[in-house]
Amino acid sequence: MLDRPAAHDVLLVVDIQNDFLPGGNLAVPEGDAIVPLVNALAQRFEHVALTQDWYAPGHRSFASSHRRTPFETITLPYGPQVLWPDHCVQGSLGAEFSSALSIPKAELIVRKGFRPEIDSYSAFCEADGVTPTGLAGYLRERGFTRVFLAGLATDFCVAYSAVDARKAGFEVVVIEDACRAIDTGGSLAAAWKRMNDAGVARATSNEFLA
Ligand code: VGL
């Protein structure tokens, strides 16, 4: 059983945006199922931050920018890139947080993916592996030492954020049932392997909500 979330803990709620929910352009199966859980979890944490994919129109990670089919993988200057349907475009309805998400006390919104040439699954570091979002510095300056993660999708933005949070020196716990995965081409199993190797811990929401 985990100790109760305390002043040095932050809940990072990843990308609960319309495009990742049923009916959205990159719908994550059952993505909507976690929203009430995440709302409840947020009440148990003193501190909550949100992430929001905020892609420039015509982003390099969009299949439409290459006249390719979504879910193909191509090589970009920084490495392999899965090509996605256009989603979470800046200012679009799909980029807005779900109207069912209710976390008015969230203290920070980190936007990512705004550079047209670089994807950013991670809330900490863009896909080139060197461009920081500034989140690690923010969290450190606020005195946080442990990052809990919930949101979408387990195998992409949650996993990359979790691994990068470890790299940045935080303790990291993924609240597994408060996440859902895309799971394309074995991505979910691969993501858990990377998270386990990086020392990311797993928890379930009942450890907080009981
Ligand atoms: C995500 C794929 C593409 C995510 C974002 O939020 O996990 N996945 N863009």
Side-chain angles (χ1 to χ4, degrees):
M1 197 71 158
L2 285 154
D3 41 326
R4 270 179 65 79
H8 60 270
D9 292 327
V10 62
L11 175 66
L12 191 62
V13 174
V14 177
D15 299 357
I16 303 194
Q17 296 168 255
N18 291 327
D19 269 340
F20 294 123
L21 299 175
N25 287 339
L26 180 45
V28 179
E30 296 180 3
D32 52 338
I34 65 169
V35 180
L37 204 51
V38 172
N39 289 339
L41 279 169
Q43 293 192 21
R44 301 300 173 106
F45 280 79
E46 284 178 38
H47 303 288
V48 184
L50 311 179
T51 73
Q52 186 174 31
D53 274 352
W54 199 245
Y55 288 115
H59 196 273
R60 270 293 173 88
S61 69
F62 294 166
S64 62
S65 305
H66 306 269
R67 302 221 174 95
R68 304 286 281 263
T69 314
F71 305 102
E72 277 181 47
T73 301
I74 63 163
T75 303
L76 291 183
Y78 52 77
Q81 171 70 53
V82 180
L83 294 176
W84 303 107
D86 289 28
H87 67 284
C88 298
V89 172
Q90 294 167 3
S92 67
L93 191 62
E96 286 178 16
F97 291 117
S98 163
S99 59
L101 190 70
S102 180
I103 314 183
K105 73 188 210 184
E107 296 165 13
L108 176 77
I109 298 172
V110 189
R111 285 178 167 170
K112 57 196 177 68
F114 50 79
R115 282 179 227 282
E117 309 298 318
I118 318 177
D119 204 352
S120 190
Y121 299 141
S122 164
F124 291 87
C125 184
E126 301 193 20
D128 61 357
V130 291
T131 305
T133 63
L135 180 59
Y138 171 87
L139 295 179
R140 267 187 221 120
E141 196 168 350
R142 292 284 314 274
F144 297 121
T145 57
R146 194 163 55 161
V147 179
F148 291 78
L149 289 122
L152 304 172
T154 321
D155 42 346
F156 288 95
C157 291
V158 171
Y160 280 83
S161 298
V163 169
D164 281 354
R166 289 289 302 142
K167 281 187 196 155
F170 298 99
E171 281 181 71
V172 182
V173 182
V174 170
I175 307 172
E176 204 173 344
D177 59 323
C179 302
R180 286 293 185 279
I182 296 174
D183 203 9
T184 174
S187 55
L188 184 59
W192 275 117
K193 164 112 182 52
R194 287 198 313 278
M195 288 193 277
N196 288 333
D197 290 350
V200 173
R202 300 189 195 199
T204 51
S205 56
N206 60 11
E207 296 176 57
F208 306 90
L209 302 176

